[in-house]
Amino acid sequence: MDKTFDPRAIEARWRDTWERSGWFAPQGSGAPYSIMIPPPNVTGTLHMGHAFQHTIMDSLTRYHRMRGDDTLWQPGTDHAGIATQMVVERNLKLAGSSRLDLGREKFVEKVWEWKKYSGDTIENQIRRMGSSVDWSRKAFTMDPSYSEAVIEHFVRLHEDGLIYRGKRLVNWDPVLQTAISDLEVVQEEKDGKLWHFRYPLAGSARTQDGLDYIVVATTRPETMLGDTAVAVHPEDERYKHLIGRKVKLPLSDREIPIVGDDYVDREFGTGCVKITPAHDFNDYALGQRHKLPIINIFTHTAAINDEAPAAYRGLDRFEARKRVVADLEAQGLLAKIDDHKLKLPIGDRSGVVVEPYLTDQWFVDLTRKTLDDGRPGGWTAITEPAIHAVEGGSIKFVPENWSNTYFHWLRNIQDWCISRQLWWGHRIPAWYDADGNIYVARNEAEVRSKYQLPDDLPLRQDEDVFDTWFSSDIWPLATLGWPQETPELKKFYPSSVLVTGFDIIFFWVARLVMMGLKLHGDVPFREVYVHGLIRDSEGQKMSKSKGNVLDPLDLVDGISLDELLKKRTTGLMKPETAPKIEKATRKDYPAGIEAVGVDALRYTFASLASPGRDIRFDFSRAAGYRNFCNKIWNATSYVLMNCEEQDPNPDGQAWLSEADRWIISRLQKVEAEAAEHFRSYRFDLLAQTLYQFVWNEYCDWYLELTKPTLRGDNDSAKRGTRRTLLRVLEAILRLLHPLMPFVTEDLWQRVAPLAGKAGPTIMLQPYPTAQPEKIDETAEADVEWLKAFILGVRQIRSGMDISPKITLPLLVQDAAAADAERIARLAGSITALTNVQEPLLLAAGEEPPVSATSLLGSMKILVPMAGLIDKEAELARLRKKKAQTESDLAKNLARVSSEKFVNGAPPEVLERERARIAQQRQELAALNEQIGKIEAL
RNA sequence: GGGUGCUUAGCUCAGUCGGUAGAGCAUCGCCCUUACAAGGCGGGGGUCGACGGUUCGAGCCCGUCAGCACCCA
């Protein structure tokens, strides 16, 4: 066995073996267990969040597979319409080309090339992390069969009257030139201005103060070119007499009405609001109420169009704003400019301000109770069942409180705009004839037969594609073969759990539930495990533009500072931020990043996966778990060294020591805890429990305790210890395997045969379960006593600064019968672990020599001081102990002297408290006596 | 404005049933002891954000406030 654990070699060895052997595919006769991967976008590479999420899913998958469940982890990727199209467009731009240069067909070919590259990268990353997905079922949201399912999805909803096409105000991204949904718009607060303009009153109208104009306040002056009214509050004393009169809209030379509407906030601005129905959601609604004309003044790129006065045509919206303000000022119509904080709607992909824009789009009805023809509307048929599924417990959120987020969104849901003016995505299966009639069916042939159209009637398919989420919302169905009733669909739907981030509860989780129920009549999963976000060590979100991203594989393999700098500073959207990023990177990783291996990285993620909490990624944790892997490696090395070919008769009679029975007993409890932690998705506690058991109990104590036995000459005891060493280690490897698959597999191959286990892989071995009959409280108590005894001796040695090489004499005073019995029984362990001579029991009343002392209950552990010990050091040690004891005692005395406590606390608490006090008094007396003796020297 | 979460050791975080606060990393001392120096042994380090309430007893339950983060409008 190699001297040191080398993750790279181990990982390479097992990755391929597992996959080639077909062990990732569902098998086993147990209950079906399935997880659908949230398909990563083919926009590039996987980040830390994916690695984290995949660690959790793989741990669950491996755990259930080991439990014998028929386990499927379904892999795949998402075409991610807008996001991927943007990436490819950016690449084209760098190459001096553009989407429009290429044309649709060629462009889509380019995207497919990119998809191949990105998809392969992602697959490779998933493989590297040890994720045991069933590659034979790999899916992509634009696979032919998947596309068919998406079309089926649309057509069925359409047939149920739940899809409509309409001219609506939608969020328009002027850079991407497509509609986007409400969810794809983020509100950002910015410092802006509030401009006050004078709008002249038409005819003889005058304000109360006799002025011939009113002042409107706006944050968007350029939209005044599309104003079709000014609104005031109907009960606003200042203006209500003007309702029904008109103003002369400056610059455009149109007369527009003054309307009264209680949407107007009298306190805000001047109380007069300019109304632009074509470019503001509130104004649009108000316009509908007052039957105002709608004047669209923008082109698709948010430049001013020909509806506006000639002077402004062709200007970009921000240029137009400047011009409008300047022109109004020149005409003396600019009253004032205030500073103002405003919320800007930003496209989450393009990062530019989106415009409310009037276009024809496809929508899913999610809000109507009943359709005009009496059939159930979207609210009844889609939204409400999704709410009920969680209310009624068919789906459980973990942690539970995320269900509130889910409910809140669904209860306030809007209809969903599902068409996108993109080239990359599923074409909408709708056709138009020359008169603009719309036909929806699965393909053109079906359209003709369904609507009985003549063969020669020219039809044109809709140019638009679906919102990506409209295809991913059937992921669990489509990957299992829906709309066909495949055996896989029957077996693995609903899936067991969805592992996902809270950021896509709306985008994806809610829609999965809605469509799963609508299209297949059952929920898509039983539980939703919602994990936190991975942040950097400062708590910042990781993003390329901040330059704080980490590639999980760079932690696995390590990376030099130069390489890391290069990765972080090339291809930036804003190259000017590079120096800042470089500085921060040099500070955080002055020597680059050391390799920790996959297992350690996975263990780190698990240990930080506390519910309802984001993760600040801390490299030192990963380094710590790398050390943990090494620890396991070395412990195995010790076990093998002591067990391989050591016993000519390994099946002979075996006697189990206290230590053997103790570690076996502890193992049972750990196994029970592990099961509970898996059940409750507490990967952090699972990681902690196993770490603690392996390092602090198995390695620190048990392995040390086996040494004297194995050096001894009692064959039956040696056999018992060897057997225990092997069996517990073998169980440990299985316990750890879901979290750290590689090193456990590698070690298991060597340990298992010696532990009487056979099989080609640890992956298919049963996960250890507790056997309560092996719990041995007596052995546990013995070893706890032994540990306390040994600690007492070690404290003396360390406190006195005595070299570990010196074998100390050891006396024991005031030993109770039980202590004496234990000392006799466990003396071998004591002498071996503390380098002392056999402890000598002092008879009652026998006066010991002056000694350094530790207390264990009423018993004193004594190391004679003659020639060894620094008097002052021992005094200091004893006085410190005394001070501690006195302080504890005082606190406890205060408590029991309180009448309230005595009367109120349950008897067993009172009893425990009194026992504690007695114990502390005894200790204090012993300490005082000892201090006195040493002082007298 | 509404909502959610967080605040515990220098740092990153656990803390289950309300019963004297734990881990890793960092730190200090001793030690290259035959599994492991990526290590062993021992130690130090806490007003559990603040205030109030409930309780015999509060890190934990309730209320108010402060700070931070996120979501929604």
Side-chain angles (χ1 to χ4, degrees), chain A residues 18-40:
Chain A
W18 286 335
E19 195 184 323
R20 243 186 293 113
S21 308
W23 294 328
F24 292 172
Q27 54 192 292
S29 51
Y33 183 89
S34 60
I35 297 181
M36 305 288 153
I37 202 170

Side-chain angles (χ1 to χ4, degrees), chain A residues 535-655:
Chain A
R535 299 172 175 278
D536 74 2
S537 56
E538 255 92 67
Q540 297 288 311
K541 216 164 153 171
M542 288 190 178
S543 73
K544 178 83 183 163
S545 60
K546 282 191 195 132
N548 58 355
V549 285
L550 286 172
D551 181 337
L553 292 185
D554 289 342
L555 288 156
V556 169
D557 297 330
I559 186 170
S560 70
L561 177 61
D562 284 348
E563 281 292 313
L564 183 61
L565 285 172
K566 209 169 111 195
K567 263 182 123 155
R568 283 185 165 187
T569 54
T570 49
L572 288 172
M573 296 257 253
K574 295 183 190 161
E576 65 272 19
T577 56
K580 209 175 135 197
I581 290 171
E582 178 169 340
K583 201 176 152 201
T585 303
R586 283 184 188 281
K587 183 171 158 272
D588 288 347
Y589 301 99
I593 298 175
E594 268 177 84
V596 300
V598 170
D599 290 326
L601 181 60
R602 289 172 57 123
Y603 212 84
T604 309
F605 286 135
S607 73
L608 292 172
S610 300
R613 212 176 159 121
D614 285 351
I615 291 178
R616 286 190 185 209
F617 190 81
D618 179 10
F619 180 77
S620 67
R621 291 286 290 251
Y625 292 120
R626 189 251 340 254
N627 296 353
F628 181 49
C629 294
N630 191 48
K631 188 78 180 173
I632 298 165
W633 184 267
N634 284 305
T636 303
S637 172
Y638 168 84
V639 172
L640 293 177
M641 190 182 300
N642 283 288
C643 299
E644 265 174 327
E645 291 163 29
Q646 296 290 319
D647 189 348
N649 179 24
D651 298 327
Q653 193 173 13
W655 176 82

Side-chain angles (χ1 to χ4, degrees), chain A residues 324-339:
Chain A
V324 164
V325 173
D327 289 351
L328 287 169
E329 186 169 20
Q331 295 183 22
L333 297 176
L334 175 59
K336 65 167 175 170
I337 307 175
D338 288 341
D339 288 331

Side-chain angles (χ1 to χ4, degrees), chain A residues 243-315:
Chain A
I243 293 170
R245 310 299 291 257
K246 293 191 166 178
V247 296
K248 263 185 73 180
L249 183 64
L251 308 180
S252 299
D253 238 14
R254 284 185 279 118
E255 286 200 357
I256 57 175
I258 298 171
V259 299
D261 194 292
D262 54 16
Y263 151 71
V264 178
D265 178 358
R266 277 173 279 188
E267 309 299 317
F268 184 81
T270 59
C272 297
V273 188
K274 59 187 273 317
I275 300 298
T276 322
H279 299 293
D280 180 281
F281 287 100
N282 290 315
D283 291 7
Y284 180 82
L286 189 146
Q288 298 279 301
R289 288 196 289 275
H290 296 271
K291 304 205 164 42
L292 297 174
I294 296 170
I295 303 177
N296 172 28
I297 58 155
F298 285 138
T299 66
H300 281 10
T301 57
I304 304 298
N305 69 11
D306 293 352
E307 296 290 330
Y312 305 96
R313 290 177 194 166
L315 291 179

Side-chain angles (χ1 to χ4, degrees), chain A residues 664-726:
Chain A
I664 290 168
S665 179
R666 287 290 308 131
L667 175 65
Q668 310 312 313
K669 293 184 180 176
V670 165
E671 287 167 349
E673 285 174 46
E676 172 55 24
H677 295 327
F678 267 113
R679 195 195 58 74
S680 55
Y681 298 96
R682 290 304 303 269
F683 302 98
D684 57 333
L685 299 183
L686 175 69
Q688 197 186 4
T689 299
L690 297 180
Y691 183 99
Q692 191 281 133
F693 177 68
V694 172
W695 199 312
N696 303 122
E697 299 194 276
Y698 187 74
C699 292
D700 286 349
W701 286 103
Y702 182 63
L703 291 194
E704 295 306 319
L705 286 168
T706 63
K707 287 175 184 175
T709 308
L710 295 177
R711 277 197 296 264
D713 50 13
N714 179 337
D715 281 345
S716 147
K718 282 158 88 169
R719 206 172 282 128
T721 290
R722 285 201 190 100
R723 206 173 276 177
T724 307
L725 273 170
L726 285 163

Side-chain angles (χ1 to χ4, degrees), chain A residues 497-513:
Chain A
V497 60
L498 180 73
V499 176
T500 190
F502 58 82
D503 47 333
I504 57 173
I505 288 180
F506 307 142
F507 279 110
W508 199 46
V509 180
R511 288 164 175 172
L512 280 166
V513 179

